[in-house]
Amino acid sequence: MSLETAMSHPLLTTAAPVTPGAATALLESYAPATDRFLATPHRTLLGRGTATPIPHDSRPPAVRVREALGALRRPGAPTPVVVGALPFAPGAPPALAVPRTVRWAPPLRRDPLIALPVPDETGRPDWQVREVPAPEHYGRAVAAAVARMRAGEFDKVVLARTLELTTGSEPDLPAMLRRLARHDPSGYTFAVPSGPDRTLIGASPELLVARDGGTLTANPLAGSAPRSADLAEDVRRAVALLESEKDLHEHAVVVAAVREALAPFCASLRVPERPTLVRTATMWHLSTTVTGEVADPATTALDLASALHPTPAVCGTPTEVARAVIAESEPFDRGAYTGMVGWQDADGDGEWVVTIRCAEAEGRTLRLFAGAGVMAASTPEAETAETAAKFRTFLHAVGASL
């Protein structure tokens, strides 16, 4: 059983030369079921086949990954890499594996071919769309959570809803992936197996944590506003988000949790005092980039990610109370949604991304997910509108509408 790496990822720094078409070639080569694709602002990765699946047992995932990668390490051979997804629920089976082959390229955002116009694929499915729960039911869940928060039971919960899209034939996942990647080549685009005959596909704006040598980076996002096609209105919404007391408080709660989770692993940790704005094609987000130096070289990217997961940005606070409210309020299993997706090598370096703006494909069905952070100042109308705006990223990619 052989492992090969087409390009060593440590060379893929911002100073690395750009080979036109190298990243887009990996995007075009993606095949469902067997492949694992991940594009980040720093690199593009395509893993093909499975050399070693990561087992599911009672040990922490970071321990299992470290053991599997260590067993595959050979002097003079490329550094083995694990790629895949971990679910939202603690103890649920991960979908992680060491691919049989791994190919690396510079980031899609630096590949000039990603900007070339591409003809729209013909024959997009005629989707049947079902909202689960219905908007009015979701609104009632938000209102109930707000009432409990105002009574002092907890501080925040992230409530999600789904769209179930069905069609007469299996969807074209490679075409969806291409549209997602071209829609936002600076984000985190992924397609990985998430279970038997299931594929997790999406384009997340949020880095959970990355480790590069002794340096870690986390980029929590919390507090959002939908974009507008009108430039003046778009700017107004961005400024309003930066001044929103509700959203700034929501963001501060998440940043404080990230600081608390990472501090025990760090010799130093730098946390900006105020958030900045980041934008996707459909949303504005409040963003804080946290950086630090890892105290123990043995601490891996997945150790750090596991300490952070789930942040209040995808669950709530206090965590266990928020989990219970989610279980009571959401009439579906989140699965990989609001888990993490990414890669890690045997040296412990890697990138783990929050699994949002995503869908899970199974047969002729796509299940899309979107959530909103509910605070005591939230309203059912605003949170329902926020989830609708977040759905637009994926609806654009599949040619459907809400």
Side-chain angles (χ1 to χ4, degrees):
M1 187 175 295
S2 64
L3 291 165
E4 74 177 71
T5 301
M7 185 185 296
S8 175
H9 65 80
L11 300 178
L12 300 178
T13 65
T14 54
V18 175
T19 303
T24 50
L26 297 189
L27 177 63
E28 297 290 334
S29 298
Y30 166 75
T34 60
D35 290 358
R36 295 167 174 87
F37 177 88
L38 179 65
T40 82
H42 305 289
R43 54 185 55 80
T44 306
L45 176 162
L46 180 68
R48 184 148 283 172
T50 299
T52 302
I54 302 303
H56 176 52
D57 56 39
S58 60
R59 295 172 298 163
V63 172
R64 286 176 266 154
V65 166
R66 184 184 294 109
E67 181 179 285
L69 291 174
L72 292 168
R73 195 160 201 167
R74 301 287 184 271
T79 305
V81 176
V82 69
V83 187
L86 291 99
F88 171 71
L96 298 170
V98 179
R100 188 177 298 276
T101 63
V102 179
R103 297 166 60 193
W104 303 85
L108 282 172
R109 64 185 175 86
R110 295 179 59 226
D111 188 334
L113 298 190
I114 197 69
L116 293 178
V118 176
D120 193 28
E121 289 89 351
T122 59
R124 292 200 193 184
D126 181 17
W127 295 104
Q128 302 297 313
V129 180
R130 185 168 76 99
E131 300 179 67
V132 181
E136 59 271 21
H137 293 165
Y138 179 77
R140 285 199 286 270
V142 171
V146 167
R148 293 174 65 179
M149 280 184 278
R150 290 176 178 174
E153 289 189 40
F154 55 96
D155 300 318
K156 175 186 176 179
V157 66
V158 178
L159 294 181
R161 63 190 185 107
T162 73
L163 299 181
E164 290 185 357
L165 277 60
T166 56
T167 186
S169 59
E170 291 195 9
D172 187 345
L173 297 183
M176 288 181 197
L177 183 67
R178 290 192 294 270
R179 287 193 289 268
L180 286 166
R182 291 179 183 278
H183 200 50
D184 187 8
S186 296
Y188 299 87
T189 306
F190 51 87
V192 298
S194 56
D197 302 316
R198 296 199 307 274
T199 298
L200 177 69
I201 181 169
S204 174
E206 185 171 1
L207 172 69
L208 181 62
V209 70
R211 199 203 84 164
D212 183 5
T215 301
L216 70 83
T217 305
N219 185 205
L221 307 181
S224 306
R227 301 286 305 277
S228 172
D230 179 79
L231 178 59
E233 174 62 15
D234 197 42
V235 172
R236 188 198 68 77
R237 292 181 184 184
V239 172
L241 180 61
L242 274 174
E243 297 175 348
S244 166
E245 184 177 342
K246 178 258 185 188
D247 290 289
L248 287 170
H249 176 62
E250 179 182 351
H251 189 81
V253 168
V254 174
V255 172
V258 169
R259 183 203 302 264
E260 183 179 356
L262 291 179
F265 298 94
C266 294
S268 64
L269 193 63
R270 295 171 290 281
V271 184
E273 290 186 5
R274 288 186 60 83
T276 58
L277 286 173
V278 298
R279 66 187 179 192
T280 67
T282 59
M283 299 294 295
W284 286 105
H285 298 282
L286 293 178
S287 165
T288 295
T289 300
V290 177
T291 57
E293 301 303 318
V294 180
D296 184 352
T299 300
T300 68
L302 191 51
D303 286 321
L304 299 169
S306 299
L308 285 170
H309 176 71
T311 72
V314 298
C315 181
T317 184
T319 301
E320 292 311 312
V321 177
R323 278 193 187 276
V325 174
I326 288 169
E328 295 165 9
S329 305
E330 296 179 355
F332 55 85
D333 181 358
R334 287 192 177 189
Y337 170 66
T338 61
M340 53 180 133
V341 61
W343 68 274
Q344 180 178 297
D345 67 16
D347 293 328
D349 289 341
E351 297 170 284
W352 294 98
V353 179
V354 182
T355 313
I356 52 177
R357 309 296 193 277
C358 65
E360 195 164 47
E362 184 174 13
R364 297 177 298 170
T365 300
L366 276 176
R367 172 170 279 181
L368 283 59
F369 299 86
V374 180
M375 308 284 288
S378 296
T379 66
E381 296 78 13
E383 307 310 337
T384 303
E386 181 175 324
T387 56
K390 290 174 176 176
F391 278 131
R392 289 208 303 267
T393 296
F394 213 96
L395 289 172
H396 170 82
V398 303
S401 59
L402 181 58

